Amino acid sequence: MSKISHTADRRELTDAQRNAVAELMRVSPIADELGRRFAKAGFELHLVGGSVRDALLGRLGDDLDFTTDARPDDTLRVLKGWAETTWETGREFGTIGAQRRGLRLEITTFRAEAYDGVTRNPVVQYGESLQEDLRRRDFTVNAMAVSLPDHRFTDPYGGLDDLAARRLRTPGTPRESFGDDPLRMLRAARFAAQLRFTLDPDVRAAMAAMAADLERITAERIRDEFTKLLLGADPVTGLRLLVDTGLAEHFLPELPGLKLAIDEHAQHKDVYEHTLTVVSNAVRLEGDEGPDFVLRMAALMHDVGKPATKAVGTDNRVSFHHHEVVGARLTKLRMKELRYPKDVTSEVVKLVALHLRFYGYGRGEWTDSAVRRYVTDAGELLSRLHKLTRSDCTTRNRRKAAQLSADYDALEDRIAQLQADEDLARVRPDLDGNAIMELLGVPPGPIVGRAWRHLKEARLERGPLDRDEAEAELLRWARAEGLI
């Protein structure tokens, strides 16, 4: 379907409404079947929220959201014998999930929930009507519905006009909406990043005034919204909103903290602006592979160690020695607080720790050993490290930028040359554990591990060794250790 223009008039909005219903016809065989089943059982069924919004934007996916006056037990009875599978993980919130012919459906009883202002979870209260359900939704663009199976369109709060204008408003007052669920403030920033929407001034003002209410939300819910924001088409806009409204202070204080650290090269107003530029650069370097959370998060966090390591020398030059070490530690702590999986955290932390390793290569100081270590330390993250390092080059000096780019081109060429001769991605000692035990006459244990690590260091330093060289190196090490 055609997308809504930014300056749509009433005729265009009417066309967009018709197009939305036409787009929904793609899934209507399933949606209408389900609507007829609910109607036969005496219940209403409406496609609602993000599904209607995305249909209007021409980006409807295979995950569909419905609302109904049926209670969860009733919904399960309607689905029985029709859905290929059902799940009840959201039952406490009135949601039943189902799958049918490749579509994932979530069917939620009309809700009129509200937070009590103290706890971190909503108090679920079932509503009695579609109008009541739509009023409790976060934004007007998500408060539209298409009834099934008759395809009647309901838009009581002007969501269609707001969608045409790419504008975020709330069905009631912003304070009422954010008071019901403070996570909606973070979701507003996410929509700005994901859909390139602008915020109504009242919405933005309420976010700034109520930012502290985000403390009532669990780390897991914040993490999920923030991840979607960072993976959006325009994450920098969303990140700026988090900082400007004060939301970031309550779950990612390292980001606004970057404003305190002036870039030592005086290339940017502050490290904060430099960081946002690096994030933008990283997004551009992703190519056709799609959004990469690990790369984007590493770009966002790569300089968070600078405020703690800032020093001014006798020549009045600012330095941030070892900020990559401090930044890696801060990144690990922050991602742990946000409950990110350990493997994802480990990858981001490693990139932050390695992001400065390249600097100095252009001075001709790197030996083959240094190149091997660069590749080995990066491991499977080498491609991302290439992108992060290139993204970090934000100098406005064209000559310097060209030189840095040429230097990194040279490093990548050198890595390719060494990889043609050696398997740098799988650097191993030239003797395995069995050979070490046989030569030294020792059983399995710590000595074998120490010997293995020494031979790996020798392999990194000198390149591949033949069998005689490797055995001689092992025996030299063993004598120096007093083992033979």
Side-chain angles (χ1 to χ4, degrees), residues 69 86-87 95 105 107 120 140 169 176-177 215 219 230 244-245 280 282 328 330 382 391 411 434 439:
D69 57 344
T86 60
W87 55 93
T95 300
L105 321 173
I107 305 155
R120 292 186 169 200
T140 60
R169 289 190 307 113
E176 177 186 37
S177 181
E215 300 283 351
L230 198 58
D244 293 346
T245 59
S280 293
L330 292 174
L382 183 62
S391 297
L411 174 58
N434 290 327
L439 280 169

Side-chain angles (χ1 to χ4, degrees), residues 353-419:
L354 292 175
H355 83 274
L356 281 185
R357 183 76 69 86
F358 161 72
Y359 293 95
Y361 177 81
R363 296 193 294 269
E365 299 169 356
W366 281 34
T367 61
D368 284 351
S369 171
V371 176
R372 291 189 194 98
R373 291 178 188 279
Y374 187 78
V375 175
T376 301
D377 289 348
E380 294 181 354
L381 297 174
L382 183 62
S383 175
R384 284 170 167 147
L385 182 58
H386 288 334
K387 293 174 183 177
L388 178 60
T389 302
R390 289 185 181 276
S391 297
D392 196 25
C393 176
T394 61
T395 177
R396 296 174 184 175
N397 184 316
R398 292 184 179 180
R399 184 179 61 80
K400 185 174 182 180
Q403 184 60 56
L404 285 170
S405 179
D407 288 345
Y408 209 84
D409 288 343
L411 174 58
E412 289 199 55
D413 288 343
R414 193 168 171 188
I415 289 172
Q417 291 169 6
L418 282 174
Q419 284 178 326

Side-chain angles (χ1 to χ4, degrees), residues 24 47-56 60-61 63-66 142:
L24 294 172
L47 194 68
V48 73
S51 295
V52 177
R53 180 200 69 220
D54 288 346
L56 283 160
L60 182 64
D63 294 333
L64 304 180
D65 295 323
F66 299 87
N142 293 330

Side-chain angles (χ1 to χ4, degrees), residues 252 254 297-305 327 330-331 334 348 352:
L252 192 65
E254 292 81 5
M297 189 65 175
L300 181 65
M301 302 297 284
H302 80 286
D303 274 351
V304 295
L330 292 174
T331 298
R334 182 55 53 200
V348 175
V352 172

